[in-house]
Amino acid sequence: MTINSELDMLISGGMTLTMSGHMEIIENSEIGIKNGKIIFAQKKDDLTTCRAKKTLDASGCIIIPGLVNTHTHAPMVYFRGLSDDLPLMDWLDTYIFPAEARFVNAEMVYHSSLLAIAEMILAGTTTFCDGYFFEAGVARAAIESGIRAMVANGFADFPTPEISDPAKNEYVARSFVEKWTGISPLVSPALFCHAPYTCSPKTLRKIKEVARNTGAFFLTHVAETKNEVQEIKDRYGKTPVRHLHHLGVLDEKTIAAHCNWVDKEEIKILADCGAGVSHNPESSMKLAAGIAPVPAMLEKGVTVGLGTDGCASNNDHDLFTEMDSAAKVHKIMGMNPAVMDAKTVLKMATINGAKALGLESMIGSIEPGKCADIIILDMNKPHLTPMYNPYSHLVYAVKGSDVSHSIINGRLVMENRKLLNLDLDKIMARANEESMKIRKWLSERESDPVS
């Protein structure tokens, strides 16, 4: 094959796991990239003639699509480890909500998002879906870093750090989507109602209506805890998924995070409506919130992606360790070592995650015509030697720190573990400086809980 025009980038050598429909594995592969797109992905051929502005030698490496984090709260990285080992509602009401009221503002969101994005890129994530307040700051940070992001502005029926009067929710929602639509090919705006227990039926319907009218995605936490299910039943006479279905907010542009406590009928509702689910096993295990019946969801055709949740409840953004947890927790839950095999879990972190975000035609697999969102993993490590099954290795042995290169939309954003668009030392210094204020507040609060 002869390529007449010069490529922007050529990835030469290594093993490519395409994650395409047929799950092709290309040994000794080469991938051509131009104008942000994958031109070819094939077995390396000595007869191939092509020129490239930059060539990456991936010999001895594994190449896969960039990972897709379908649910997180990036700015909460500043609250990493703030107060661990507590039940969800105690954790939220006693620590997180007061901390957010005290410290969350537009600048905090921007700077903390830079830290979260740096962590994600270093661990192989090339696309993330975020829900928080002041999401314009997340969007700014995403654009500067070169990562792909769906940024969802958050809403509740009580005053938030961003919106003091909940009556303005609908106006803020519409303004946010209109402002950020088309600003960058890498960033798409969305809307995030925190949960059915913090958002009234009216709020859920109104925000979903704005989302439908603007073509935006709609996010919400759903059935995260057993207590939440009972609370929604007590209020509305229905379980959370039935409640949302009754309100008409579930469709193919809805992402339901967690879904730990859903029954067979609710799984069918999610499948019939086309709603995507974000599975966040590590956060749910840490909070003892429950574990979603993912094998049953997959069996019924629900699109399930993988998410880390925020660093306040996880405490990291490493989707490789999340894959490991996702595979193992369902094996022990079902007492079946064959359930949630490595291929299935890797699909959740790549092509299925892309599908949940409505991006499967653009990303999630390595195929000609798709955007070049690709990561390269250095397999020359003691903990990765020897290797018999690459899928098994990626889920059970690889860590985020094994990612050596990250390419997003055809551009290198990390090369040999060095971030190219972000000043990591400066970002971490800012985080440590801000943490001193939070640490002082926490100390004062624990000595005088009324404060």
Side-chain angles (χ1 to χ4, degrees):
M1 180 176 68
T2 301
I3 306 296
N4 294 323
S5 60
E6 186 179 44
L7 297 170
D8 294 329
M9 192 181 305
L10 178 68
I11 305 173
S12 179
M15 176 192 294
T16 295
L17 308 188
T18 64
M19 304 308 295
S20 63
H22 297 292
M23 299 289 285
E24 293 95 342
I25 295 179
I26 307 173
E27 300 265 12
N28 193 23
S29 62
E30 58 182 5
I31 302 169
I33 299 169
K34 187 175 179 65
N35 296 328
K37 304 285 187 180
I38 298 168
I39 304 301
F40 59 81
Q42 62 188 25
K43 187 173 179 61
K44 193 173 181 181
D45 185 346
D46 291 338
L47 298 178
T48 298
T49 303
C50 58
R51 294 174 292 109
K53 296 175 184 175
K54 186 173 186 66
T55 297
L56 299 178
D57 182 1
S59 301
C61 298
I62 286 181
I63 304 105
I64 64 171
L67 305 184
V68 179
N69 188 342
T70 55
H71 180 70
T72 191
H73 313 290
M76 294 185 79
V77 71
Y78 271 16
F79 300 141
R80 190 198 316 264
L82 174 66
S83 185
D84 289 336
D85 307 322
L86 292 171
L88 174 62
M89 295 316 299
D90 188 15
W91 175 74
L92 285 173
D93 292 338
T94 306
Y95 292 97
I96 297 303
F97 288 159
E100 288 177 329
R102 180 70 173 265
F103 296 105
V104 173
N105 54 53
E107 279 305 293
M108 176 273 196
V109 166
Y110 165 70
H111 288 287
S112 57
S113 295
L114 288 174
L115 177 63
I117 290 168
E119 181 184 358
M120 283 190 268
I121 292 173
L122 284 163
T125 292
T126 56
T127 298
F128 73 101
C129 178
D130 196 70
Y132 205 61
F133 314 112
F134 298 107
E135 278 290 300
V138 183
R140 284 174 55 206
I143 291 170
E144 287 182 24
S145 69
I147 199 169
R148 194 180 300 276
M150 179 177 287
V151 292
N153 216 57
F155 302 94
D157 280 337
F158 51 79
T160 68
E162 180 180 13
I163 306 170
S164 59
D165 181 4
K168 297 179 180 178
N169 280 346
E170 187 178 357
Y171 168 77
V172 172
R174 187 178 297 106
S175 299
F176 176 78
V177 176
E178 289 175 352
K179 177 178 180 179
W180 287 99
T181 297
I183 293 290
S184 166
L186 295 178
V187 172
S188 57
L191 301 173
F192 168 50
C193 279
H194 176 262
Y197 61 87
T198 55
C199 293
S200 67
K202 179 181 178 181
T203 298
L204 289 163
R205 282 185 171 130
K206 285 290 187 182
I207 299 302
K208 181 61 181 182
E209 182 181 3
V210 174
R212 282 201 175 107
N213 290 340
T214 57
F217 266 71
F218 173 85
L219 287 61
T220 186
H221 294 125
V222 180
E224 185 173 2
T225 67
K226 207 170 184 178
N227 288 341
E228 174 196 335
V229 173
Q230 189 59 52
E231 182 177 346
I232 298 303
K233 284 176 71 174
D234 291 344
R235 284 194 204 177
Y236 307 113
K238 298 178 180 67
T239 56
V241 170
R242 291 180 178 88
H243 174 56
L244 295 174
H245 184 48
H246 174 73
L247 296 177
V249 302
L250 297 178
D251 58 26
E252 69 283 350
K253 285 197 169 185
T254 298
I255 300 172
H258 302 299
C259 294
N260 293 332
W261 298 93
V262 294
D263 59 33
K264 291 181 180 179
E265 183 181 332
E266 289 176 300
I267 291 172
K268 186 176 186 304
I269 290 171
L270 291 167
D272 290 345
C273 291
V277 170
S278 177
H279 181 39
N280 300 246
E282 291 190 352
S283 172
S284 291
M285 285 191 290
K286 184 183 170 211
L287 293 168
I291 293 296
V294 172
M297 292 181 187
L298 296 175
E299 183 181 347
K300 294 300 180 182
V302 178
T303 299
V304 183
L306 203 59
T308 58
D309 211 343
C311 278
S313 65
N314 184 312
N315 300 30
D316 62 52
H317 281 124
D318 189 340
L319 274 176
F320 282 101
T321 59
E322 203 77 37
M323 282 192 276
D324 179 75
S325 296
K328 291 174 181 175
V329 72
H330 292 287
K331 295 178 190 302
I332 193 64
M333 291 288 290
M335 293 303 293
N336 179 1
V339 76
M340 293 290 281
D341 62 275
K343 281 186 181 180
T344 296
V345 176
L346 186 58
K347 286 174 70 175
M348 288 170 58
T350 54
I351 188 63
N352 284 0
K355 185 177 180 182
L357 303 185
L359 299 173
E360 71 272 23
S361 65
M362 296 173 56
I363 62 170
S365 62
I366 297 177
E367 300 179 79
K370 282 198 169 185
C371 297
D373 288 16
I374 296 169
I375 60 174
I376 301 174
L377 296 119
D378 179 6
M379 306 303 288
N380 187 30
K381 305 282 185 71
H383 67 283
L384 300 177
T385 304
M387 181 180 72
Y388 301 107
N389 183 311
Y391 295 109
S392 171
H393 247 43
L394 288 167
V395 173
Y396 301 121
V398 165
K399 310 298 181 190
S401 55
D402 297 319
V403 180
S404 62
H405 293 70
S406 181
I407 300 160
I408 303 175
N409 211 38
R411 293 182 58 202
L412 265 174
V413 297
M414 180 174 71
E415 184 173 15
N416 292 317
R417 299 291 298 162
K418 179 176 175 57
L419 297 173
L420 303 182
N421 300 329
L422 297 173
D423 186 335
L424 189 55
D425 288 341
K426 183 177 179 181
I427 290 168
M428 291 174 63
R430 173 78 181 230
N432 285 323
E433 181 181 328
E434 292 300 315
S435 75
M436 298 300 293
K437 302 173 187 176
I438 297 172
R439 185 178 288 109
K440 182 175 183 293
W441 168 82
L442 183 62
S443 177
E444 292 171 350
R445 183 175 184 81
E446 291 180 339
S447 62
D448 181 11
V450 178
S451 64

